[in-house]
Amino acid sequence: MKIQVKKLVDKALESLTDQQRRVLVLRYGLDGKGKRTLQEIADEYSLTRERIRQVQNTAIAALGKDECAGLLASTITHLEDALRKCGGATSADILCASCEFATKAEQNYIHLLLMVGNSFSLSRATDAVDQYWYVDEQHKRAIDATLDRVHQDVEGRGEALLSDEDMRNLFENLGAEHKDHLPTYGDAMLLSLKVKRNPLGEWGLATHPEVALNGLAGYIRLVLRDSGEPLHFNRIADRITELRGKSCHRGSCHNELVRRDEFILVGRGLYALDSMGYRPGTIADIIAAGIKERGPMTQKEIIEYVSRERHVKTQSIVLTLGKKGMFTRDDRSRYCLAM
């Protein structure tokens, strides 16, 4: 069912003073130009932020009284029903998206109505949980207590990541006593600021390098770890494009791979993580390391040794062995380091 939210709110706004109406329009972006800050509105009126805040609060209070309240009552009731369908507590964005009675273009009007209705309360954001709307204290206690337990559990795991299924089970187990007052697992976890999900659906601390994914290097690291094997930089770039939903330039990806020591070139355009056991260096460096580790080796032994570290053609290894001044052979035709 569609309700003419915009039409009803605009009608209610007519009862306000010009200044009150203008402040709400700007503050909530009802003109379709985005929400303005208190400071931006204060600058327009040459007033202080605090004075604009007072005008805003007075205007919102006026919308909850008398004729305005009657005009908006039905819409606010539908909004309360939508919040309860979301589990009684959720973010404003999730709530707006779930309001089947309003269009997407009317979402800013919904944000304003949440402030007007006495049926809703807004939590205070913390460093662990984002602010959210809730219908009663039971729902707030359920969210806060469950997320606090989840945070403690995940913190205790350190660098370990959880699959989506494991996180769902953890959430449901830790919130079992509050299950009648909890929103869905997915909606509840979106409120967490301390625990987040990466593009692979894995959960961990928001500061975890494979969750925070700061910059292109974070995505490269995630893609290589997920593959479990070396990948060509073109494939890495394509996979990043799939994960983040926007194009990853192959040249940029290659440049990032080249400039970071954690990414090891193991073949023509092939890269691996240093944590996969690959050592940095050229083919000659790998051969030298093998000889230092094992002593003189035959050509066959060197080819087998290098092939575990590098994805290169046999001919490339043979050509490297033939370079003068790098390697020599003993009386048993085994290769040694040249002095």
Side-chain angles (χ1 to χ4, degrees):
M1 176 180 62
K2 295 295 182 184
I3 297 175
Q4 294 179 311
V5 176
K6 181 180 183 302
K7 182 177 180 180
L8 290 172
V9 173
D10 285 343
K11 181 66 176 177
L13 290 175
E14 291 176 2
S15 66
L16 305 179
T17 67
D18 290 344
Q19 185 185 59
Q20 290 173 340
R21 181 167 58 254
R22 177 65 176 167
V23 166
L24 290 187
V25 167
L26 295 176
R27 192 76 175 99
Y28 289 90
L30 303 185
D31 57 357
K33 297 180 180 179
K35 299 179 181 180
R36 275 59 145 213
T37 65
L38 290 172
Q39 188 60 58
E40 288 173 331
I41 303 172
D43 291 343
E44 177 176 321
Y45 279 95
S46 298
L47 297 172
T48 64
R49 290 177 57 197
E50 185 54 35
R51 177 55 188 152
I52 295 300
R53 189 194 306 276
Q54 292 172 358
V55 173
Q56 170 189 273
N57 293 342
T58 300
I60 289 174
L63 289 179
K65 295 179 180 178
D66 305 328
E67 182 180 346
C68 289
L71 190 63
L72 300 175
S74 177
T75 306
I76 290 175
T77 297
H78 281 86
L79 189 55
E80 181 181 356
D81 291 342
L83 181 53
R84 290 189 180 279
K85 288 180 180 179
C86 287
T90 193
S91 69
D93 288 340
I94 294 175
L95 179 58
C96 286
S98 69
C99 288
E100 298 178 355
F101 58 85
T103 66
K104 187 174 182 179
E106 294 173 325
Q107 289 189 0
N108 284 349
Y109 286 82
I110 297 298
H111 285 201
L112 174 58
L113 288 175
L114 283 167
M115 298 297 298
V116 174
N118 294 323
S119 302
F120 322 107
S121 298
L122 182 62
S123 73
R124 179 175 296 179
T126 68
D127 60 350
V129 182
D130 200 0
Q131 66 179 183
Y132 58 90
W133 290 94
Y134 59 96
V135 292
D136 57 48
E137 286 299 320
Q138 280 185 301
H139 287 84
K140 184 178 187 304
R141 285 194 296 270
I143 282 283
D144 292 345
T146 303
L147 288 182
D148 182 59
R149 291 173 183 174
V150 169
H151 293 161
Q152 291 183 44
D153 187 285
V154 175
E155 284 177 329
R157 298 170 186 262
E159 292 297 298
L161 295 174
L162 289 85
S163 68
D164 198 52
E165 181 180 357
D166 287 342
M167 178 56 80
R168 179 187 296 275
N169 291 335
L170 177 66
F171 176 85
E172 292 177 351
N173 289 336
L174 296 179
E177 65 182 274
H178 302 291
K179 64 179 182 179
D180 293 335
H181 298 94
L182 279 175
T184 64
Y185 150 72
D187 287 352
M189 289 307 302
L190 284 176
L191 299 175
S192 174
L193 298 177
K194 189 171 285 188
V195 174
K196 292 294 184 181
R197 180 169 50 188
N198 70 20
L200 296 178
E202 300 166 327
W203 291 87
L205 293 175
T207 55
H208 191 292
E210 292 182 19
V211 175
L213 297 181
N214 295 322
L216 187 55
Y219 277 92
I220 294 173
R221 192 181 305 113
L222 186 67
V223 167
L224 286 173
R225 194 267 295 168
D226 184 51
S227 74
E229 61 183 8
L231 293 176
H232 192 276
F233 71 85
N234 285 338
R235 177 58 188 136
I236 295 173
D238 291 345
R239 181 66 174 129
I240 292 173
T241 296
E242 295 171 7
L243 289 178
R244 68 180 187 180
K246 64 178 182 178
S247 179
C248 172
H249 192 273
R250 291 177 174 182
S252 300
C253 180
H254 187 251
N255 290 340
E256 192 73 9
L257 285 161
V258 170
R259 76 184 190 89
R260 291 182 177 268
D261 293 338
E262 64 182 306
F263 306 130
I264 310 296
L265 179 65
V266 298
R268 186 179 292 274
L270 287 174
Y271 287 86
L273 284 173
D274 55 1
S275 59
M276 292 177 178
Y278 292 93
R279 289 176 287 192
T282 64
I283 295 175
D285 293 330
I286 301 303
I287 294 173
I291 292 174
K292 289 179 181 178
E293 177 186 315
R294 299 185 175 189
M297 292 191 290
T298 65
Q299 184 183 87
K300 180 180 179 181
E301 289 171 335
I302 288 175
I303 291 172
E304 291 176 350
Y305 182 87
V306 174
S307 295
R308 288 195 292 270
E309 291 270 353
R310 294 291 181 268
H311 296 252
V312 295
K313 294 179 180 179
T314 299
Q315 187 62 24
S316 297
I317 302 173
V318 173
L319 288 173
T320 301
L321 284 170
K323 290 183 179 180
K324 292 183 179 181
M326 298 180 67
F327 307 104
T328 187
R329 284 192 283 184
D330 62 15
D331 55 4
R332 296 171 57 183
S333 294
R334 298 177 304 176
Y335 284 89
C336 310
L337 293 176
M339 297 300 292

